[in-house]
Amino acid sequence: MTGSAADRSVRVVVASLLVTMVALTAGCGSSSSDTEDLTLSLRETRTAVRSVELALDLLDQGRTTRAAAQVTAGDMVDQIGLAQQRLADAPGDTEELRDLRRRCQVVVSDSLVAVQDTEDALSTTDGGAGVGADLPQVQSAVDATLTDVGER
């Protein structure tokens, strides 16, 4: 076989493998796509909660202002609100998916409350003792739910 004939043979084999893989996986994506919105919502929530925790850490270290931390918390309230909307729109074709979506909604709602409470505490003039104390708990709940959904 010459070089160009060998190249063509390799291309044909690669193309055949790709076509075979596409054909084999065409019907196999339903389980991951069914939970894609759930996973994305939980990831967005985890990022939002973590962002507020980081803002509080920076505030404690004197590396940011209370106003900046409050703005961060407010922005993350909006982000979690978007995650809630994604969950509301997520498909729930089976009872198992509906149950999983409801569990995700509870965790995301709890996270929203914790971040809103943090934002409110940052707006008080007394400094809001215990600001963000419940954020690690909701972060753990989000992580556990992500594991249940099958993503980490």
Side-chain angles (χ1 to χ4, degrees), residues 42-63:
L42 291 169
R43 283 180 180 174
E44 290 171 348
T45 300
R46 178 174 60 184
T47 300
V49 171
R50 187 63 190 132
S51 294
V52 174
E53 287 178 318
L54 290 172
L56 292 175
D57 288 346
L58 291 172
L59 180 62
D60 288 344
Q61 296 170 15
R63 296 174 57 195

Side-chain angles (χ1 to χ4, degrees), residues 7-61:
D7 290 342
R8 274 184 267 164
S9 294
V10 169
R11 280 187 244 142
V12 168
V13 169
V14 169
S16 296
L17 286 173
L18 288 174
V19 169
T20 302
M21 286 175 50
V22 168
L24 289 174
T25 60
C28 297
S30 64
S31 65
S32 66
S33 65
D34 287 346
T35 60
E36 187 176 317
D37 287 332
L38 305 180
T39 300
L40 189 53
S41 295
L42 291 169
R43 283 180 180 174
E44 290 171 348
T45 300
R46 178 174 60 184
T47 300
V49 171
R50 187 63 190 132
S51 294
V52 174
E53 287 178 318
L54 290 172
L56 292 175
D57 288 346
L58 291 172
L59 180 62
D60 288 344
Q61 296 170 15

